[in-house]
């Protein structure tokens, strides 16, 4: 049987072959890059900034890998999902991991939480920053005592940030959420927008200082930061218990961090936190090694053009780590001469 090709049929065939070649090339590229999921907090938070930067670096430097960032949900769920193999990377909080290992706090109703905690491994730690409570200076909220009847974002529902901030407020004032003030139930990104729209009176955000979100507000508005005085931190049993949680410490937010529109003239004391990037213990050692190496080998060169990266240092990669380190990450840090702590 013979086939006759006219000009039209030839063009159709050529177009089909071209389309097929493009689809085949796309499929080949998709197959070439192994995809990983990374869960973190919402845009504007320091975990989002660091972990998105990590993902972007890996995607650029290691084309065989592709990391997709998920910035929805809360940290305890991210930990559970990764432990169950439903994700590869997540923001590790020492306090959340402590609750997960013991089956306490937000994991109280999850019977297999301690068992699942054994599936997790740290990649490296970094400073999350500090819990910054910001208000508009024009609202005349000068201390935590002034939040009575106000709308306060303490953190997303079910998250450890909310528990931490509400404990701070209770210790300093005796106020209870839902009774003495409204504890706004939103995610980080929605809460930041609501604060900018003046629909929230006090925004608590656990992030580095200066925070991009708060800096944006301070460009055109006078702002005030509120916290807990040192005597209360040192004498209140609830705060002492909170500060005994892995990763927590007392930190000052200095005046002038946000420029001329920050009205504070004295340091404001609050809680600082160390967190990290973690993964599932079954993730390939070579993969984690190559990612860790690519990130830290490239980091110093970027600090000149990206000032907030100066908060990251090899001196802090093990700070408050209460999770065993993934062998791939441990291998890199040993190669550069660091002593990796043994954590059970």
């Amino acid at each position: 049987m013979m086939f006759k090709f006219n000009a039209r049929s030839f063009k159709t065939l050529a177009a089909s072959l071209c389309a097929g070649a493009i689809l085949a090339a796309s499929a080949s590229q998709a197959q070439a890059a192994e995809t990983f999921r990374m869960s973190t907090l919402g845009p504007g938070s320091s975990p989002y900034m660091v972990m998105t930067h990590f993902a972007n670096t890996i995607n650029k430097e290691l084309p065989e890998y592709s990391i997709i960032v998920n910035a929805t949900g809360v940290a305890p769920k991210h930990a559970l999902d990764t432990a169950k193999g439903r994700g590869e990377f997540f923001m590790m909080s020492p306090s959340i991991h402590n609750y997960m290992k013991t089956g306490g706090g937000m994991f109280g109703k999850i019977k297999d939480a301690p068992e699942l905690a054994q599936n997790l491994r740290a990649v490296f730690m970094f400073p999350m920053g500090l819990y910054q409570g910001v208000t508009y200076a024009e609202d005349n909220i000068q201390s935590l005592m002034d939040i009575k009847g106000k709308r306060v974002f303490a953190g997303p529902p079910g998250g450890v940030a909310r528990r931490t901030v509400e404990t701070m407020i209770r210790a300093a004032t005796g106020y209870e959420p839902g009774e003495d003030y409204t504890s706004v139930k939103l995610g980080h990104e929605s809460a930041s927008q609501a604060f900018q729209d003046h629909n929230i009176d006090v925004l608590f955000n656990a992030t580095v200082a200066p925070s991009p979100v708060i800096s944006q507000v301070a460009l055109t508005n006078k702002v005030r930061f509120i916290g807990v005085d040192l005597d209360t931190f040192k004498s209140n049993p609830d705060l002492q218990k909170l500060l005994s949680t892995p990763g927590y410490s007392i930190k000052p937010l200095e005046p002038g961090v946000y420029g001329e529109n920050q009205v504070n003239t004295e340091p404001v004391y609050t809680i600082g936190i160390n967190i990290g990037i973690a993964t599932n213990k079954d993730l390939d050692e070579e993969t984690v090694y190559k990612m860790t190496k690519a990130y830290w080998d490239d980091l110093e060169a970027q600090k000149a053009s990206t000032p907030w990266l100066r908060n990251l240092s090899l001196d802090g990669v093990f700070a408050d780590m209460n999770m065993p380190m993934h062998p791939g990450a441990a291998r890199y840090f040993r190669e550069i001469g660091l002593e990796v702590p043994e954590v059970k």
Side-chain angles (χ1 to χ4, degrees):
M1 181 180 294
M2 296 181 64
F3 292 92
K4 293 183 179 180
F5 287 92
N6 56 31
R8 182 176 179 181
S9 60
F10 182 80
K11 288 179 181 179
T12 302
L13 176 61
S16 299
L17 290 172
C18 182
I22 291 172
L23 289 172
S26 299
S28 176
Q29 290 174 358
Q31 290 172 1
E34 188 176 359
T35 302
F36 302 92
R37 294 155 294 180
M38 171 176 277
S39 296
T40 185
L41 302 186
S45 67
S46 55
Y48 178 86
M49 293 161 62
V50 172
M51 296 176 75
T52 299
H53 182 259
F54 179 88
N56 290 340
T57 301
I58 301 311
N59 293 345
K60 176 185 175 184
E61 300 295 329
L62 300 173
E64 64 268 36
Y65 302 131
S66 175
I67 298 180
I68 299 171
V69 176
N70 164 42
T72 61
V74 294
K77 185 177 186 304
H78 296 163
L80 287 170
D81 285 346
T82 307
K84 293 176 180 178
R86 296 173 183 167
E88 286 75 38
F89 296 98
F90 73 104
M91 184 208 82
M92 189 278 270
S93 161
S95 60
I96 291 176
H97 189 62
N98 190 58
Y99 285 126
M100 191 173 178
K101 287 194 300 183
T102 60
M106 69 288 293
F107 297 101
K109 295 182 179 179
I110 303 172
K111 294 181 179 180
D112 58 348
E115 181 182 352
L116 288 169
Q118 301 303 313
N119 293 339
L120 301 175
R121 295 293 183 269
V123 179
F124 63 83
M125 305 296 290
F126 62 90
M128 182 175 181
L130 57 164
Y131 282 97
Q132 302 172 54
V134 62
T135 75
Y136 288 95
E138 64 188 40
D139 292 341
N140 204 32
I141 300 173
Q142 302 200 30
S143 73
L144 287 172
M145 292 299 298
D146 296 326
I147 71 169
K148 195 174 184 69
K150 303 295 185 181
R151 298 160 298 184
V152 178
F153 176 70
V160 71
R162 188 183 190 90
R163 180 188 296 266
T164 298
V165 171
E166 289 179 352
T167 298
M168 288 173 58
I169 293 172
R170 187 179 297 110
T173 64
Y175 295 164
E176 293 291 340
E179 297 178 12
D180 300 294
Y181 64 94
T182 300
S183 193
V184 177
K185 297 179 180 179
L186 292 172
H188 285 284
E189 187 174 8
S190 299
S192 296
Q193 186 59 56
F195 181 70
Q196 291 178 51
D197 295 338
H198 292 258
N199 292 323
I200 289 177
D201 301 303
V202 183
L203 175 78
F204 277 90
N205 194 356
T207 186
V208 293
S211 152
V213 170
I214 300 175
S215 292
Q216 184 177 348
V217 174
L219 283 174
T220 55
N221 300 271
K222 290 192 178 297
V223 295
R224 175 181 287 109
F225 292 85
I226 56 177
V228 179
D229 64 80
L230 277 177
D231 288 340
T232 302
F233 264 126
K234 293 175 181 178
S235 62
N236 185 276
D238 288 337
L239 285 178
Q240 285 297 301
K241 182 178 179 180
L242 195 62
L243 288 167
S244 69
T245 304
Y248 283 24
S249 62
I250 303 172
K251 294 287 184 183
L253 177 67
E254 300 291 347
V257 171
Y258 287 93
E260 295 181 356
N261 278 341
Q262 180 183 346
V263 301
N264 303 90
T265 57
E266 300 290 335
V268 175
Y269 290 94
T270 183
I271 289 178
I273 321 161
N274 283 314
I275 57 172
I277 295 177
T279 186
N280 189 290
K281 66 179 178 62
D282 293 328
L283 191 59
D284 178 63
E285 177 180 334
E286 185 68 15
T287 296
V288 177
Y289 167 77
K290 289 167 68 175
M291 289 183 175
T292 309
K293 177 177 174 59
Y295 187 68
W296 284 96
D297 282 358
D298 190 59
L299 188 63
E300 287 301 322
Q302 298 187 52
K303 288 185 178 181
S305 59
T306 313
W308 64 264
L309 286 175
R310 296 168 193 166
N311 290 291
L312 275 65
S313 167
L314 287 169
D315 293 336
V317 292
F318 309 129
D320 295 314
M321 187 175 71
N322 62 343
M323 177 188 293
M325 179 157 275
H326 191 282
R331 176 177 149 199
Y332 169 75
F333 291 123
R334 288 193 181 104
E335 276 186 3
I336 62 172
L338 300 184
E339 185 176 344
V340 178
E342 293 292 333
V343 179
K344 295 182 179 180

